[in-house]
């Protein structure tokens, strides 16, 4: 299987793209405009340039694979690269260094390769199905925590769903004694679950480009992952849960949706 080649190319491309994004981040406009119009335009331009770099590199290496990016779209075939060039866009916009490049390869509805590179932290998370997950080349494992009252959980949110649904999920999390955070980059949070730095990531809706790489990291690090690509998940996204196994039952009840 050519998974090993895809993994090594994806790692190299993620790092190159991340360093490009880091350079842009360090040279971003510092206008304190109230509406962040200037920063938003700069972010959009950077997002597109990073995605173009990734698309060019992957299509040169694997011309028979399809490519689908958050910015430019693409085609969703049974062998496709799913890419978020900059996850954590709100952070990037405000000068918060918590953002990353997320690259996944999905074959016949299953993620086979997942790579996330956080350039400001210079951390490369990588996994190939059946071959484990690594952080900068060292094996990763989920936390193994068993008591929800000692947990730290990232509850992702975006304006794709009504705010009250998010508030209710957070209320339920606090009701069972969990600590929660929202860092603004779902992909980095998923990677941190795989690294054992967080105990779970949950969100009522996430897009495929944000989640496929990070979920494979968690699965290969021994965690529970929801059937994120079930139904029409690749095209429409889905609710998402990735966690250390002992917290699965309570978190599925907290989320109140099929995960
Ligand atoms: C991010 C997603 C996630 C959400 C984050 C953020 P983006 O996407 O990874 O679904 O919880 O707040 O929206 O827009 O930064 O690439």
């Amino acid at each position: 299987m050519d998974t090993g080649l895809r993994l090594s190319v994806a790692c190299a491309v993620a790092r190159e793209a991340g360093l490009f994004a880091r350079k842009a981040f360090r040279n971003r406009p510092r206008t304190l405009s109230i509406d962040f119009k200037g920063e938003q335009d700069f972010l959009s331009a950077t997002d597109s340039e990073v995605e173009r770099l990734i698309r060019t590199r992957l299509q040169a290496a694997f011309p028979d694979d399809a490519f689908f990016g958050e910015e430019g779209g693409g085609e969703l075939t049974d062998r496709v690269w799913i890419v978020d060039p900059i996850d954590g866009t709100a952070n990037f916009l405000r000068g918060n260094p918590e953002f990353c490049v997320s690259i996944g390869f999905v074959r016949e509805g299953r993620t086979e390769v997942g790579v996330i590179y956080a350039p400001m932290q210079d951390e490369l998370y990588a996994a190939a199905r059946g071959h484990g997950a690594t952080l900068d080349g060292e094996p990763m494992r989920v936390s193994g925590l068993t008591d929800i009252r000692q947990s730290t959980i990232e509850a992702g949110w975006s304006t794709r769903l009504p705010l009250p649904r998010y508030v209710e999920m957070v209320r339920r999390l606090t009701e069972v004694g969990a600590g929660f955070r929202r860092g603004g980059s779902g992909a980095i949070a998923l990677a941190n679950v795989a690294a054992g730095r967080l105990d779970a990531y949950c969100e009522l809706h996430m897009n495929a480009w944000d989640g496929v790489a990070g979920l494979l990291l968690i699965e290969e690090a021994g965690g529970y992952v929801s059937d994120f690509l079930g139904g029409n998940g690749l095209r429409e996204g889905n609710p998402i849960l990735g966690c250390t196994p002992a917290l699965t039952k309570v978190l599925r009840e907290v989320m109140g949706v099929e995960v």
Side-chain angles (χ1 to χ4, degrees):
M1 180 81 76
D2 51 13
T3 304
L5 176 61
R6 281 191 168 84
L7 178 62
S8 58
V9 170
C11 287
V13 172
R15 188 178 295 276
E16 180 186 4
L19 294 178
F20 182 97
R22 183 172 73 180
K23 185 175 179 184
F25 180 77
R26 285 174 172 167
N27 296 314
R28 68 191 181 281
R30 260 62 166 196
T31 55
L32 290 177
S33 54
I34 300 298
D35 62 358
F36 293 102
K37 177 75 173 68
E39 293 87 337
Q40 184 66 57
D41 292 343
F42 180 79
L43 165 66
S44 300
T46 304
D47 231 346
S48 299
E49 286 175 69
V50 174
E51 184 170 306
R52 191 178 307 114
L53 186 159
I54 297 169
R55 180 194 298 267
T56 303
R57 296 284 188 271
L58 291 177
Q59 288 186 331
F62 307 107
D64 296 331
D65 293 350
F67 179 96
F68 191 95
E70 177 178 22
E71 293 311 303
E75 56 174 337
L76 292 170
T77 67
D78 63 359
R79 283 188 348 186
V80 57
W81 293 92
I82 304 285
V83 172
D84 187 350
I86 296 179
D87 181 73
T89 49
N91 292 337
F92 188 101
L93 189 68
R94 297 299 306 271
N96 177 328
E98 197 170 346
F99 64 90
C100 66
V101 175
S102 183
I103 298 175
F105 176 69
V106 177
R107 186 197 303 262
E108 292 166 6
R110 281 198 349 151
T111 308
E112 282 190 354
V113 169
V115 175
I116 290 173
Y117 180 56
M120 304 311 289
Q121 297 79 22
D122 190 23
E123 291 187 322
L124 182 70
Y125 307 83
R129 182 171 293 280
H131 296 277
T134 58
L135 168 53
D136 292 338
E138 294 300 319
M140 286 195 291
R141 298 298 294 175
V142 293
S143 69
L145 189 81
T146 58
D147 186 348
I148 188 78
R149 294 165 301 178
Q150 296 174 344
S151 66
T152 302
I153 293 171
E154 175 124 357
W157 180 72
S158 72
T159 54
R160 295 186 293 273
L161 289 180
L163 181 59
R165 289 192 57 192
Y166 179 72
V167 172
E168 173 59 15
M169 182 174 75
V170 169
R171 185 190 68 77
R172 290 181 180 183
L173 278 173
T174 52
E175 206 167 53
V176 296
F180 84 95
R181 72 188 294 273
R182 178 187 179 259
S185 168
I188 284 186
L190 290 165
N192 279 327
V193 172
R197 296 168 174 169
L198 289 173
D199 302 301
Y201 184 87
C202 58
E203 185 162 5
L204 293 173
H205 179 273
M206 195 179 218
N207 289 309
W209 50 78
D210 291 324
V212 292
L215 271 194
L216 181 63
L217 295 174
I218 294 173
E219 186 173 1
E220 288 298 318
Y224 168 84
V225 294
S226 57
D227 181 17
F228 181 54
L229 292 182
N232 205 4
L234 193 59
R235 187 174 299 281
E236 297 177 356
N238 260 324
I240 188 170
L241 173 63
C243 64
T244 193
L247 302 186
T248 304
K249 182 175 183 299
V250 62
L251 290 174
R252 294 179 75 179
E253 290 165 359
V254 161
M255 291 185 73
V257 293
E258 187 58 38
V259 284

